Amino acid sequence: MSRVVAADDNMSLPFFSPEPSSGTSSPSFAKLLKNVGDTRIGHNHQHHVDVDLTSQSADRSVPFVLSFNDLTYSVKVRRKFTWRRVPSDPIVGASSESLYSSKTKTLLNGISGEARDGEILAVLGASGSGKSTLIDALANRIAKGSLKGNVTLNGEVLNSKMQKAISAYVMQDDLLFPMLTVEETLMFAAEFRLPRSLSKSKKNLRVQALIDQLGLRNAAKTVIGDEGHRGISGGERRRVSIGIDIIHDPILLFLDEPTSGLDSTSALSVIKVLKRIAQSGSMVIMTLHQPSYRLLRLLDRLLFLSRGQTVFSGSPAMLPSFFAEFGHPIPEHENRTEFALDLIRELEGSAGGTRSLVEFNKGFRQRKAEPRTHTTGLSLKEAISASISKGKLVSGATSTTPSSGSNLVSTIPTFANPFWVELLVLAKRSMTNYRRQPELFGIRLGAVLVTGFILATMFWQLDNSPKGVQERLGFFAFAMSTTFYTCADALPVFLQERFIFMRETAYNAYRRSSYVLSHSLVALPSLIILSLAFAATTFWGVGLDGGLMGFLFYFLIVLAAFWAGSSFVTFLSGVVPHVMLGYTIVVAILAYFLLFSGFFINRDRIPSYWIWFHYISLVKYPYEAVLLNEFSDPTKCFIKGVQIFDNTPLVAVPQGMKVRLLATMSKSLGMRITSSTCLTTGYEILQQQGITDLSKWNCLWVTVAWGFFFRILFYFSLLLGSKNKRR
C-alpha cells in the first residue's frame, strides 16, 4: 500500500519520490508503487508488477511482532430440551422430571503463536477447526471477558481505538455496492479513511496507484455488478474488497478466507497482492481452506488447527521434517498442505483424536524454537511513530512524531474526517448508486401514480351529500394508509447495505450519526416527488375543498406521511434482519395503525385498554389532518333538508312524503326546516368523528415528529445492533 503523508498540498507524496530506499530492509510500499508507475510507462500501459515475492533479507529488522498466548474461547451450545428421570425426593416423596443443563463448547483451546511485520501468517484447518474464531480473536472481534489469554503487539496490549486505527479486517464475503465502478468504490473508501488534510488530487493519485498494485487497471471503469448486472470477475471483486480495507495503509491486515470461491489463477493473484502488501511493511494474517503448491510458496508461516487446538506452527519448509518425525512422512510429489489436512482429518476420526499430534507439536516447537533476533526492541509507540514518520497513514494520523512524553493514542483521531465531510461523501455515494438504478424509483413512482389515478377515478368529483361525506372519509382513510404501505420498499435498502455498514463502521470509517442523517437527506427528494405526484393526481380529481392553499396543505401532509412511513420502515430494517420477516411485520403493524386510526371506529368507542394504540397510530394524525383540511369551512353545508333521510331506511320514500315529514318535525321541534335548511356543517362532521383535539397544523407537526422519532430509533438500533463482535 501506498505510503502517503497526511500533509499540506505542497508536500510531495512519498510514493512518488524518486529517492531509492536505503539499507537492507524489504522494499517499501512506496517503492513498489513507484515501480508500478515506472512499469506502466515502460510497458505501454500494461499494468504488471514484477516484484520478487519470495525473497526476504535474512537480517531484515522487524519493527512489529504480534504475539498471542494461550487464547481460549468457549461458547454455550443451545440447550436441548429433553427430559430425564431423577430419583424420588425423600422429603416430597415423589419422583420428578427436569431439564439437563446446557454444555459448553471450546472453540479455541490454548492457542499461541506470533506474526511478524513483512510476513504472511496463514491459519489452516478443516471446517469447524476454529480458523475464523482465531482471526476474530486477533482482530479484537470477540467481546471482552469472553476471550481468555492475551494478544500483544510489541509486548503491549492494544486498546480498541489503537486497534481500529492500525488494522483492517477483510470479510469472507465481498460486500460491495453493485452499481459503483471499481475506481469509484476505492475513491469513496479513500474519502472515508484518508484525512481531510490530504487533497482530493492526492487521494485520487493514491487510488490510481492502488488500482495498479491490485492489478485492476483494466476493470477500473467497470461496475462491480450483481445478479442482475454484469460486472467484474470474482477474483477482481475479492481484490477490490481488499483494496477498500487497505486504502488507509494498515499495519495489521486480517482476512477471512480471501481465496474462497476463486479459481486457482484468481486465488494466486490475490495471494500475490497480499504478499506485496506484507512486504510493504504490513502484517498479513489470514485463514485458508486448502492452498495449492503455488500459494504455499508465498506463505511465510503456517498455523494448523484441529478442534480449537494447535497441531502445527512454523514455516512451510518445516512441514516435511515435522511429519517425518511424527511417523507420517510426506510423499515426494504430494501437496504438503493437502497431506497435512488429510492426516489431521483422519486423526480427528480416530479414537484418540489429534491429541497425539497436539502433544508432538509442543515438543517439536521446543526443539525447533527460533532465536528471537528478528526484533528491534522498539516499543509499540516508537514503532508506530517510526511508521507514521516514514509515511504510514494510520487512519488519519499526521507524520509528526509525538514526543517521548506524549500519548501516541491521543494523536490518532477516532475518525479521519469531520462529521460534515462524512455526510457529504455518504450522500454522494448513495445518490450515485441510486442514480444508476432508475428503474427502482420509476417502479415506485408508477405505483403511486396508478394508485392515485384509481382513487381519482373511483372517487371522481364527490358531492356534498351525506353519501359524499362517507365516500370522502373512505377516500382519506385509504389514501393515507396507502402512503404508508408504499414506503415498504424502503425495507430492503438498509438490509442490503447492513453488512457493508457494519464492515465500514467496525473500523471507524465514518460515524453512525453521519450515516443516519445522510440516509434521511437522500430519501427526501424522492419523497417530495412521490408526494407531489400523489397529491396532484387525487386532489382535484376527487374534488377536495380548499383551493390552492388546501392543495398545498394536502401535499404537505402527504409528504409528512411518506416521511413518517419511510422512517418507520427504515427503523424496522435496522431491527429485523430478514426481508420477508420485515415485510410481514410492516404489513401487520400498518394494518393495526389503520384499524385504530379512528376511521373504522370512533375514538370514543375504542375500549380503554386499546386507546393507547389509537394515539401511537401513524395513520391517525395524517387522517385527522386531511379531514380538518376538508371540513374546516364553517359555512359549507353537507346535509340539507330531506338529505337527512339519505342514510336511513326512509331514503326510499317519495320526495313529497319526505317534505311532509320535515314539516311534521318542524312542528315538533318548534323550528322551520325546509329542503334548503342546513342541518350538518363540516365542523359537526368533525365532532361526529371525534376529531376536535388538534388543529390540522398540529397533526402535521406530530406526523413529522414521528418521522424524526423513528430516525432516532434507527440510530440507536445501529448503535446497539451493529456490534460486530462475538459474545
Side-chain angles (χ1 to χ4, degrees):
M1 247 146 325
S2 322
R3 304 294 182 88
V4 183
V5 178
D8 56 68
D9 293 350
N10 296 324
M11 182 177 292
S12 62
L13 292 175
F15 60 74
F16 294 106
S17 173
E19 298 178 3
S21 58
S22 60
T24 57
S25 61
S26 63
S28 68
F29 193 51
K31 183 63 177 175
L32 291 179
L33 291 182
K34 182 179 183 300
N35 290 340
V36 170
D38 295 340
T39 305
R40 176 161 51 92
I41 296 172
H43 289 79
N44 195 21
H45 297 282
Q46 297 297 317
H47 304 279
H48 172 71
V49 182
D50 186 14
V51 181
D52 184 3
L53 298 177
T54 58
S55 63
Q56 290 280 350
S57 299
D59 57 346
R60 188 182 73 87
S61 63
V62 183
F64 293 103
V65 176
L66 180 74
S67 300
F68 45 100
N69 300 295
D70 198 25
L71 296 183
T72 302
Y73 175 59
S74 301
V75 294
K76 288 186 177 180
V77 180
R78 182 177 298 178
R79 181 176 298 178
K80 297 180 180 179
F81 292 92
T82 58
W83 297 89
R84 64 182 176 89
R85 179 71 60 179
V86 297
S88 298
D89 192 319
I91 298 177
V92 178
S95 62
S96 61
E97 294 179 342
S98 62
L99 296 172
Y100 71 80
S101 59
S102 61
K103 65 176 184 178
T104 301
K105 182 178 180 181
T106 300
L107 301 182
L108 298 178
N109 188 4
I111 305 296
S112 299
E114 69 176 24
R116 306 174 187 175
D117 170 52
E119 297 181 348
I120 296 180
L121 168 64
V123 183
L124 296 92
S127 298
S129 61
K131 303 189 302 295
S132 297
T133 306
L134 177 59
I135 292 292
D136 286 346
L138 299 179
N140 193 27
R141 290 163 63 90
I142 296 180
K144 291 183 178 179
S146 299
L147 179 68
K148 298 179 181 179
N150 62 81
V151 180
T152 60
L153 185 62
N154 286 22
E156 300 181 29
V157 177
L158 285 174
N159 61 51
S160 180
K161 181 179 179 180
M162 179 67 75
Q163 178 98 7
K164 291 180 178 181
I166 68 172
S167 65
Y169 188 101
V170 181
M171 298 181 181
Q172 183 174 349
D173 298 323
D174 297 322
L175 307 172
L176 305 168
F177 286 97
M179 301 313 296
L180 298 180
T181 66
V182 170
E183 186 176 39
E184 288 171 339
T185 300
L186 294 175
M187 192 64 204
F188 280 121
E191 293 283 359
F192 288 132
R193 301 306 300 266
L194 302 186
R196 183 178 167 226
S197 58
L198 201 64
S199 68
K200 184 71 175 286
S201 61
K202 288 185 170 65
K203 289 178 182 178
N204 183 62
L205 289 174
R206 178 177 179 77
V207 168
Q208 298 304 321
L210 189 57
I211 287 174
D212 287 331
Q213 192 207 7
L214 295 172
L216 295 169
R217 176 56 58 186
N218 293 332
K221 301 296 183 181
T222 306
V223 297
I224 302 298
D226 56 9
E227 295 82 358
H229 303 86
R230 186 179 180 88
I232 59 178
S233 67
E236 290 169 334
R237 288 173 64 92
R238 188 59 46 84
R239 280 177 274 161
V240 173
S241 297
I242 295 172
I244 290 174
D245 287 302
I246 67 174
I247 194 74
H248 65 296
D249 202 8
I251 294 170
L252 299 172
L253 177 60
F254 303 97
L255 305 100
D256 188 11
E257 296 279 5
T259 61
S260 176
L262 302 181
D263 59 77
S264 59
T265 302
S266 298
L268 179 63
S269 176
V270 169
I271 299 301
K272 283 184 176 180
V273 168
L274 295 176
K275 185 66 176 180
R276 290 195 290 269
I277 292 170
Q279 291 183 337
S280 72
S282 295
M283 188 183 304
V284 178
I285 304 172
M286 62 182 177
T287 62
L288 285 178
H289 184 64
Q290 195 163 331
S292 65
Y293 176 76
R294 293 189 299 172
L295 264 62
L296 188 62
R297 294 173 54 198
L298 303 176
L299 307 178
D300 300 288
R301 290 177 176 273
L302 302 178
L303 181 64
F304 283 86
L305 297 181
S306 173
R307 297 178 180 174
Q309 293 183 297
T310 305
V311 292
F312 173 79
S313 178
S315 67
M318 296 169 62
L319 280 173
S321 60
F322 176 82
F323 285 102
E325 292 186 26
F326 183 64
H328 293 77
I330 302 177
E332 185 177 352
H333 298 291
E334 187 165 347
N335 185 299
R336 297 174 181 178
T337 55
E338 290 181 358
F339 175 86
L341 292 171
D342 290 343
L343 177 60
I344 292 171
R345 291 191 188 97
E346 182 180 340
L347 291 174
E348 287 177 345
S350 63
T354 56
R355 184 180 304 171
S356 59
L357 189 57
V358 171
E359 295 300 325
F360 176 78
N361 174 64
K362 292 179 181 178
F364 185 83
R365 289 179 62 186
Q366 292 177 355
R367 295 193 304 272
K368 304 291 183 178
E370 299 176 352
R372 298 261 177 168
T373 58
H374 55 274
T375 60
T376 60
L378 293 177
S379 67
L380 179 59
K381 185 176 75 172
E382 292 170 341
I384 295 178
S385 299
S387 295
I388 294 174
S389 64
K390 292 178 181 178
K392 274 281 187 185
L393 286 178
V394 191
S395 194
T398 63
S399 58
T400 304
T401 305
S403 61
S404 58
S406 63
N407 185 4
L408 176 65
V409 178
S410 64
T411 67
I412 300 176
T414 303
F415 299 94
N417 293 287
F419 173 84
W420 65 270
V421 172
E422 297 173 352
L423 183 65
L424 292 177
V425 176
L426 283 166
K428 181 181 178 182
R429 184 176 70 174
S430 296
M431 292 299 295
T432 303
N433 211 32
Y434 293 153
R435 191 174 65 248
R436 292 179 183 164
Q437 301 179 83
E439 65 277 6
L440 298 180
F441 177 73
I443 292 174
R444 189 179 182 189
L445 179 60
V448 169
L449 288 174
V450 169
T451 303
F453 174 77
I454 293 175
L455 288 175
T457 52
M458 283 289 294
F459 297 93
W460 181 259
Q461 295 299 312
L462 297 178
D463 56 25
N464 295 331
S465 65
K467 286 186 177 179
V469 171
Q470 286 301 116
E471 289 168 353
R472 273 179 168 81
L473 296 177
F475 164 75
F476 286 136
F478 188 86
M480 292 303 102
S481 61
T482 298
T483 58
F484 286 95
Y485 277 108
T486 54
C487 292
D489 72 318
L491 185 68
V493 172
F494 176 70
L495 290 177
Q496 293 171 352
E497 299 180 10
R498 175 190 292 272
F499 293 104
I500 298 178
F501 167 83
M502 292 175 66
R503 181 200 68 198
E504 292 176 334
T505 55
Y507 287 86
N508 293 344
Y510 48 80
R511 298 165 179 82
R512 291 172 176 83
S513 56
S514 302
Y515 181 85
V516 172
L517 187 55
S518 70
H519 193 279
S520 304
L521 293 176
V522 169
L524 279 179
S526 62
L527 296 182
I528 293 174
I529 296 173
L530 294 175
S531 303
L532 186 61
F534 185 80
T537 307
T538 57
F539 186 84
W540 285 287
V542 177
L544 301 181
D545 190 37
L548 180 61
M549 295 306 297
F551 170 77
L552 290 176
F553 181 83
Y554 180 69
F555 160 70
L556 289 176
I557 195 63
V558 171
L559 176 59
F562 271 117
W563 161 251
S566 175
S567 300
F568 171 69
V569 174
T570 300
F571 160 65
L572 283 183
S573 71
V575 177
V576 181
H578 304 292
V579 175
M580 293 310 299
L581 179 61
Y583 278 130
T584 303
I585 295 176
V586 167
V587 171
I589 294 180
L590 289 179
Y592 299 147
F593 284 162
L594 178 60
L595 175 63
F596 289 96
S597 64
F599 169 70
F600 292 104
I601 182 172
N602 286 354
R603 179 185 60 195
D604 299 337
R605 294 182 57 82
I606 297 177
S608 58
Y609 47 83
W610 282 121
I611 195 66
W612 60 272
F613 213 132
H614 171 72
Y615 289 103
I616 68 169
S617 170
L618 292 183
V619 181
K620 161 186 163 63
Y621 299 99
Y623 172 67
E624 292 186 359
V626 289
L627 288 185
L628 290 165
N629 191 50
E630 182 68 15
F631 298 113
S632 60
D633 187 354
T635 63
K636 191 170 184 179
C637 187
F638 289 90
I639 299 178
K640 295 180 179 180
V642 296
Q643 289 180 335
I644 194 175
F645 303 114
D646 283 3
N647 290 329
T648 70
L650 297 177
V651 68
V653 303
Q655 184 72 10
M657 179 64 73
K658 292 179 181 178
V659 173
R660 288 194 293 273
L661 287 173
L662 283 179
T664 303
M665 292 174 62
S666 298
K667 293 178 181 179
S668 301
L669 296 174
M671 59 179 294
R672 187 168 180 269
I673 303 175
T674 65
S675 297
S676 60
T677 302
C678 182
L679 299 177
T680 304
T681 62
Y683 179 74
E684 290 167 328
I685 292 175
L686 294 176
Q687 285 183 316
Q688 293 171 7
Q689 297 298 314
I691 303 173
T692 56
D693 288 349
L694 299 174
S695 68
K696 66 178 185 180
W697 289 103
N698 286 337
C699 289
L700 173 66
W701 301 133
V702 171
T703 306
V704 173
W706 273 119
F708 282 105
F709 174 72
F710 283 114
R711 293 287 172 174
I712 294 172
L713 289 184
F714 177 54
Y715 167 75
F716 283 108
S717 71
L718 299 185
L719 193 64
L720 301 176
S722 61
K723 304 295 184 182
N724 201 11
K725 287 191 176 186
R726 300 180 186 234
R727 295 294 177 185

